[in-house]
Amino acid sequence: GENVEQHPSTLSVQEGDSAVIKCTYSDSASNYFPWYKQELGKRPQLIIDIRSNVGEKKDQRIAVTLNKTAKHFSLHITETQPEDSAVYFCAASIWNDMRFGAGTRLTVKP
Amino acid sequence: NAGVTQTPKFQVLKTGQSMTLQCAQDMNHNSMYWYRQDPGMGLRLIYYSASEGTTDKGEVPNGYNVSRLNKREFSLRLESAAPSQTSVYFCASSTGQGLYEQYFGPGTRLTVT
């Protein structure tokens, strides 16, 4: 089955800096790549997603890039703010079968 | 709209007991999912239902059964609970076919002693 690896497991940045989280996937049939943010004790919530026919997508301070040849995708957060502190998960799905990375704990220091 | 709701919020079971986790959505979504989340790990798919009347195994289906009761409801049953099933369980729903955002419920924290 699909295997998703996510790096780094923890990331600490200063407020205003950029943060980058990287994921790789194993199955070239994967066609949907969402990113979820999860605050402590809360449910995961989608922050951005990309489909396999698109290379890049941006939404204000958040962007995702997808390299299908290399089977990796990345989340970029610019101008980080303390409220960006949370655990971020990448995922890759083949239709309804979704596999998640292990998560990155992002801390933004004021 | 309530979105995705789950009951109960917390549950403690003894080894060997059975229970059913309930999930309902009011967004008219076709697809529904059950995940478990263990400390320091991502979510792992247990089962999913692409549409009413269908269910499929995910990454970790052993020890679980599911029922898609109707379009709104998708339940997860533990027939004989084991300590390894101690986890937080999330239900989710989506417009369909895995190409759209999944909306998650608030989760059920299950402890098996």
Side-chain angles (χ1 to χ4, degrees):
Chain A
E2 173 67 279
N3 182 50
V4 178
E5 293 193 358
Q6 182 171 346
H7 300 280
S9 56
T10 60
L11 180 59
S12 182
V13 299
Q14 287 294 135
E15 183 177 358
D17 287 351
S18 295
V20 180
I21 302 171
K22 298 183 179 183
C23 289
T24 60
Y25 61 100
S26 61
D27 196 325
S28 56
S30 291
N31 54 6
Y32 178 64
F33 305 89
W35 287 87
Y36 284 86
K37 176 183 180 182
Q38 187 177 31
E39 297 175 348
L40 189 63
K42 300 289 182 63
R43 71 191 79 185
Q45 291 194 296
L46 183 80
I47 55 169
I48 197 166
D49 57 6
I50 193 167
R51 294 184 179 82
S52 58
N53 59 345
V54 176
E56 186 173 355
K57 184 176 179 180
K58 189 173 181 181
D59 182 4
Q60 298 183 358
R61 297 186 296 110
I62 295 171
V64 58
T65 58
L66 171 64
N67 183 326
K68 286 196 299 181
T69 303
K71 289 191 277 198
H72 66 70
F73 55 115
S74 301
L75 177 71
H76 304 251
I77 306 174
T78 58
E79 301 171 19
T80 53
Q81 302 165 3
E83 51 266 38
D84 293 330
S85 296
V87 178
Y88 291 80
F89 294 99
C90 64
S93 74
I94 303 171
W95 301 112
N96 279 297
D97 191 342
M98 185 169 290
R99 305 297 168 95
F100 283 77
T104 296
R105 181 174 300 280
L106 174 64
T107 302
V108 180
K109 293 185 272 191
Chain B
N1 286 353
V4 180
T5 57
Q6 292 182 235
T7 55
K9 287 187 169 56
F10 302 93
Q11 184 71 49
V12 179
L13 291 178
K14 293 189 188 313
T15 298
Q17 288 185 319
S18 62
M19 79 160 296
T20 300
L21 282 65
Q22 306 286 355
C23 174
Q25 53 91 10
D26 62 2
M27 295 176 281
N28 200 34
H29 285 168
N30 292 313
S31 299
M32 297 186 74
Y33 313 81
W34 276 106
Y35 293 91
R36 61 178 287 173
Q37 185 174 34
D38 300 308
M41 296 182 69
L43 293 94
R44 290 186 291 170
L45 182 63
I46 305 171
Y47 272 93
Y48 64 92
S49 170
S51 61
E52 186 178 351
T54 70
T55 61
D56 285 284
K57 294 178 181 179
E59 185 180 0
V60 289
N62 291 347
Y64 305 95
N65 286 300
V66 290
S67 296
R68 182 75 182 266
L69 305 168
N70 47 56
K71 192 171 186 179
R72 290 187 64 249
E73 298 172 291
F74 189 37
S75 62
L76 178 72
R77 182 160 178 84
L78 287 71
E79 290 291 352
S80 179
S84 60
Q85 294 179 305
T86 293
S87 190
V88 179
Y89 291 84
F90 287 100
C91 176
S93 71
S94 173
T95 299
Q97 295 309 320
L99 293 176
Y100 299 91
E101 175 178 3
Q102 292 188 18
Y103 294 83
F104 285 82
T108 294
R109 186 172 296 275
L110 175 67
T111 302
V112 183
T113 60

